[in-house]
Amino acid sequence: MRLRVEFTTEPFDLDEAPAHALVAREVVGNASLDSVDVGPFGNTAEGGSDEVLAAVNALLRETLAAGATRVSLQVNVIDAEAADEAPEGGR
């Protein structure tokens, strides 16, 4: 199954990237993901479910430790065929 995660970390600082934002970029940049798009107001990454979930775990732990007071994220299944083949209740 392929997943896409979209996330932001707060608090925002429009003048300089805060430490937690730099950590977030490093985490997703170093993860084994197929696609990463980092921007000032939102970030996305795609990959296999194991890789995305591992990156989300690291993202939450490391950005909070670096001073994030809020991490907003959304995870979507982007491989519909794999999701349709999942056993009932296994999503």
Side-chain angles (χ1 to χ4, degrees):
M1 176 184 318
R2 287 187 49 79
L3 301 176
R4 175 184 299 123
V5 61
E6 301 174 46
F7 66 92
T8 58
T9 61
E10 297 179 40
F12 296 115
D13 183 339
L14 296 178
D15 295 325
E16 184 177 333
H20 57 81
L22 298 175
V23 166
R25 290 179 191 166
E26 184 178 336
V27 167
V28 296
N30 290 335
S32 297
L33 302 172
D34 301 332
S35 172
V36 175
D37 182 22
V38 176
F41 300 108
N43 311 285
T44 61
E46 295 180 9
S49 59
D50 289 341
E51 292 80 11
V52 170
L53 295 175
V56 167
N57 183 345
L59 177 77
L60 291 171
R61 291 176 185 279
E62 294 184 32
T63 58
L64 293 171
T69 57
R70 179 179 180 151
V71 180
S72 301
L73 63 90
Q74 178 175 310
V75 177
N76 292 302
V77 174
I78 58 173
D79 184 347
E81 281 186 28
D84 289 342
E85 294 172 8
E88 192 68 30
R91 296 181 198 177

